[in-house]
C-alpha cells in the first residue's frame, strides 16, 4: 500500500484536475506556495489537517474526499 502522504496527494491532484484547476490557481486559493503544493501532490511531504482543510475549501469539497478509503480486514 502506498504511503498516506502519496494517497492524499494523489486524491488532491485527481480532484484538482477533475475541476480543471491549475496547480497555480489552487495554490493561490489555498494560500500555499505552488512548489509546496507540487510536493503535496507528489506525496513528498506530510500535510497538517489545517492545510488539508484549506485545500478542500479552495476546491469547494469536503476534506474527507481527499483522504484515502480505509479497507477493514
Amino acid at each position: 500500500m502506498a504511503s498516506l502522504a502519496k494517497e492524499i496527494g494523489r486524491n488532491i491532484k485527481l480532484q484538482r484536475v477533475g475541476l480543471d484547476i491549475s496547480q497555480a490557481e489552487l495554490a493561490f486559493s489555498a494560500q500555499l506556495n505552488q512548489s509546496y503544493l507540487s510536493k503535496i501532490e507528489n506525496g513528498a511531504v506530510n500535510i497538517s489537517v489545517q492545510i488539508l482543510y484549506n485545500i478542500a475549501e479552495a476546491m469547494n469539497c469536503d476534506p474527507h474526499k481527499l483522504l484515502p478509503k480505509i479497507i477493514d480486514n
Side-chain angles (χ1 to χ4, degrees):
M1 178 182 222
S3 75
L4 183 60
K6 285 193 181 290
E7 289 189 43
I8 291 171
R10 180 180 52 85
N11 291 346
I12 289 170
K13 183 175 183 174
L14 287 173
Q15 181 76 16
R16 177 181 62 76
V17 170
L19 294 171
D20 196 29
I21 300 171
S22 72
Q23 241 184 24
E25 291 170 319
L26 178 56
F28 180 78
S29 295
Q31 301 175 359
L32 299 171
N33 182 294
Q34 185 178 349
S35 66
Y36 185 64
L37 179 58
S38 176
K39 289 177 185 178
I40 291 170
E41 288 186 353
N42 289 316
V45 295
N46 288 312
I47 62 171
S48 68
V49 173
Q50 183 63 57
I51 290 174
L52 180 72
Y53 271 78
N54 290 355
I55 292 170
E57 185 177 332
M59 292 193 290
N60 199 29
C61 74
D62 291 322
H64 78 273
K65 285 184 135 183
L66 305 177
L67 297 172
K69 295 187 189 303
I70 298 174
I71 299 172
D72 216 349
N73 292 333

